[in-house]
Amino acid sequence: MFVTLTCPSYGRVGSDGTPADTGSYDYGRAARDALHFAALFDRFIQNLRRFLGYDVQYFAAVEPQRRLAPHIHVAMRGTVSRSELRQVLAATYHQVWWPDTSAVRYPDGEPPLWHEASGNYLDPATGEILPTWDEALDAIGPDDQPQHVAQFGERFDAQGVLAGSRDANRCIGYLTKYLTKHVADCHDPGTDAQRAHADRLAAALRYEPCSPTCANWLRYGIQPHNAHEGLRPGCCKGKAHRREHLGYAGRRILVSRKWSGKTLADHRADRKAWLLQTLGLPDTDDPSRYTWEPVTPGDPDHMPPAQRLLRVVAERQRWHTALAQARARASGQTPPDLSATGRAA
């Protein structure tokens, strides 16, 4: 089966994906749904396997819609009726039990201060130590509500696909084209309205905590998990906060372990066999050929870190050049006469 799942509506949008009314469009919920989309899909797979009673295998690709909300295309082995899928989707949700972020304690220009001696962040006015991440979690009481509840939208698409059919080839091509693409490659704002829509989503994501270690927790008076010096709210280095990722920090391709029937060691062996065949090299990998021992600064073959780095870069360039030439020979083209640096000799 080929199934497509989407996020719920955050407000009416036009054909270009921009909101019809920017004032009523729920950018906050859109940002949080994107942050927790991967966890929501994982919960869907768990529920589907429990519902069907067997270990469903899948290959999935995530991409942003025109409205910049993530949705996912899933190829699944076996068949499920639409009514059953609708039941599983209705019962699927992901609760985020994180500390409350409704009140901003430290706005811009007044961040908490790092105290080196104690290894904690302090209130800049009183010098009080901020609650740690574990203390903030313990403070969540039985009457509190989850910080966010993520759910899929009611609309979904499900198609049956027969092996070897034209539809199967189309679905395979549709999924595999994402293997080498990034989220940023899937959307290119072409109008001022689309750029403004992306700007508003990025603004909603800026101070939204993306994980327990996110620096944005300081804005709400909480020390992040494993806090350290240099954290600043609004400057989290997490992938979810990068503009091109649109809040989605998970992997683009999600594959169940038994989808291909191979282990990671099998895949590594396949890649090695392909590389050796492409380069025309024999497989002479014998562990007894090598002896490993640590290099100390007093050894004659010891190199400074800068020299070691340059040597690794040059080695990788030689590998890349050899692979490019082998691919050209395999395709019947004349191999380019390139040096290891990629420039004509």
Side-chain angles (χ1 to χ4, degrees), residues 28-276:
R29 183 170 182 81
R32 292 183 177 183
D33 279 350
L35 288 171
H36 303 288
F37 189 81
L40 177 62
F41 176 71
D42 183 65
R43 183 58 56 85
F44 166 75
I45 293 298
Q46 292 178 25
N47 290 345
L48 184 63
R49 286 171 171 171
R50 291 166 180 165
F51 182 85
L52 297 177
Y54 63 88
D55 195 5
V56 175
Q57 299 303 308
Y58 63 89
F59 183 101
V62 180
E63 68 165 331
Q65 293 178 296
R66 188 169 296 179
R67 59 175 178 152
L68 304 185
H71 70 157
I72 188 165
H73 305 285
V74 190
M76 298 191 309
R77 286 205 177 95
T79 58
V80 188
S81 69
R82 288 180 174 83
S83 62
E84 291 175 329
L85 274 176
R86 191 172 290 108
Q87 294 178 52
V88 175
L89 285 172
T92 297
Y93 59 91
H94 174 65
Q95 292 182 331
V96 184
W97 287 98
W98 282 355
D100 183 35
T101 57
S102 58
V104 177
R105 287 193 56 186
Y106 303 101
D108 293 345
E110 303 177 6
L113 302 177
W114 173 255
H115 188 246
E116 181 67 29
S118 65
N120 290 286
Y121 279 90
L122 311 180
D123 185 295
T126 65
E128 179 185 1
I129 296 179
L130 300 185
T132 64
W133 174 253
D134 291 334
E135 291 172 346
L137 290 182
D138 292 339
I140 300 176
D143 297 329
D144 292 330
Q145 299 294 320
Q147 191 223 28
H148 181 66
V149 179
Q151 291 180 288
F152 287 111
E154 295 182 357
R155 300 182 60 181
F156 68 93
D157 182 69
Q159 303 175 19
V161 180
L162 295 177
S165 65
R166 181 180 301 177
D167 288 341
N169 294 332
R170 177 179 57 83
C171 293
I172 291 172
Y174 196 82
L175 287 169
T176 54
K177 74 176 182 179
Y178 294 106
L179 287 172
T180 58
K181 294 180 69 174
H182 298 283
V183 174
D185 300 331
C186 301
H187 66 95
D188 184 16
T191 64
D192 291 339
Q194 290 176 330
R195 284 187 285 270
H197 177 50
D199 290 341
R200 287 188 289 268
L201 180 60
L205 286 163
R206 181 180 179 185
Y207 293 110
E208 193 67 43
C210 64
S211 68
T213 59
C214 182
N216 287 338
W217 288 113
L218 293 174
R219 181 177 174 87
Y220 308 103
I222 300 168
Q223 295 193 65
H225 185 57
N226 295 330
H228 56 84
E229 186 179 6
L231 298 179
R232 295 189 60 187
C235 300
C236 177
K237 297 181 180 180
K239 188 169 69 172
H241 292 289
R242 299 177 192 172
R243 182 185 178 90
E244 64 270 19
H245 287 280
L246 302 172
Y248 180 74
R251 298 189 302 272
R252 285 295 316 284
I253 302 299
L254 304 172
V255 188
S256 58
R257 291 186 177 273
K258 299 178 182 179
W259 170 260
S260 63
K262 294 183 178 180
T263 64
L264 293 178
D266 294 333
H267 286 295
R268 284 193 290 267
D270 289 345
R271 289 197 298 269
K272 177 184 175 182
W274 173 85
L275 182 61
L276 293 175

